[in-house]
Amino acid sequence: MLMKLTNNEYNKLVQDKSPKSPLWRNILLSFLIGGAICAIGQGIKNLFLNNGLDMEKAGLATSVTMVFLGALLTALNLYDKLAKLGGAGTLVPITGFANAVTAPAMEFKYEGIITGVCAKMFTIAGPVIVYSMISSVIYGIVLLFV
């Protein structure tokens, strides 16, 4: 037997049956975990600065270290657990990019190096890289003429 519902009745039914999201808890955890990742990155940068690197090289070394840590945590299946808790807070830092590249590679590793890892590695991060490159070229052209 089919129920005849109006759009308003259907929307109310969906609202009543949907689980309530703990919005403020999710926002707080996202902020705290994203902030903790950034604080760890700042700590790593301070270590590089205190060991004699200049600001530019310390920033580069920090980026490489954070990408490595993000990839390592993904490979150990710890980044996904952190992301379930921290939500968008784990997407914003550079470790989120490392996770976006590493996770598909890990998922498809059994399909082989070429058709698995290499082909699937940039399925998530690829569009981000392409659009950021296009945006930077357009921005550069605008700056050239302005």
Side-chain angles (χ1 to χ4, degrees), residues 8 14 19 23 89 101 111 116 118:
N8 289 340
V14 168
L23 180 65
V101 172
E111 293 183 20
C118 293

Side-chain angles (χ1 to χ4, degrees), residues 127-141:
V128 173
I129 294 169
V130 169
Y131 288 117
S132 63
M133 291 298 291
I134 291 171
S135 298
S136 64
V137 168
I138 292 170
Y139 183 72
I141 291 170

Side-chain angles (χ1 to χ4, degrees), residues 16-132:
D16 291 342
K17 299 293 180 185
S18 296
K20 303 299 180 223
S21 174
L23 180 65
W24 291 106
R25 177 185 167 274
N26 291 348
I27 291 170
L28 180 64
L29 284 173
S30 179
F31 175 77
L32 291 175
I33 290 176
I37 292 170
C38 293
I40 290 167
Q42 185 63 50
I44 291 169
K45 183 176 181 182
N46 290 346
L47 282 173
F48 286 127
L49 287 169
N50 291 335
N51 285 304
L53 291 180
D54 62 33
M55 187 65 81
E56 185 177 338
K57 289 180 182 171
L60 178 62
T62 302
S63 295
V64 170
T65 303
M66 293 302 287
V67 167
F68 170 76
L69 290 175
L72 179 65
L73 290 174
T74 300
L76 296 174
N77 201 28
L78 296 174
Y79 204 86
D80 287 341
K81 293 175 184 173
L82 186 64
K84 284 181 183 171
L85 187 64
T90 60
L91 294 175
V92 177
I94 197 168
T95 53
F97 176 77
N99 175 262
V101 172
T102 308
M106 296 294 297
E107 185 176 341
F108 292 100
K109 68 183 175 188
Y110 298 109
E111 293 183 20
I113 295 292
I114 302 298
T115 58
V117 175
C118 293
K120 303 294 185 179
M121 188 181 298
F122 293 105
T123 55
I124 296 172
V128 173
I129 294 169
V130 169
Y131 288 117
S132 63

Side-chain angles (χ1 to χ4, degrees), residues 2-13:
L2 275 169
M3 293 176 53
K4 298 280 185 181
L5 297 174
T6 66
N7 285 342
N8 289 340
E9 291 171 330
Y10 177 76
N11 288 336
K12 183 168 177 5
L13 182 65

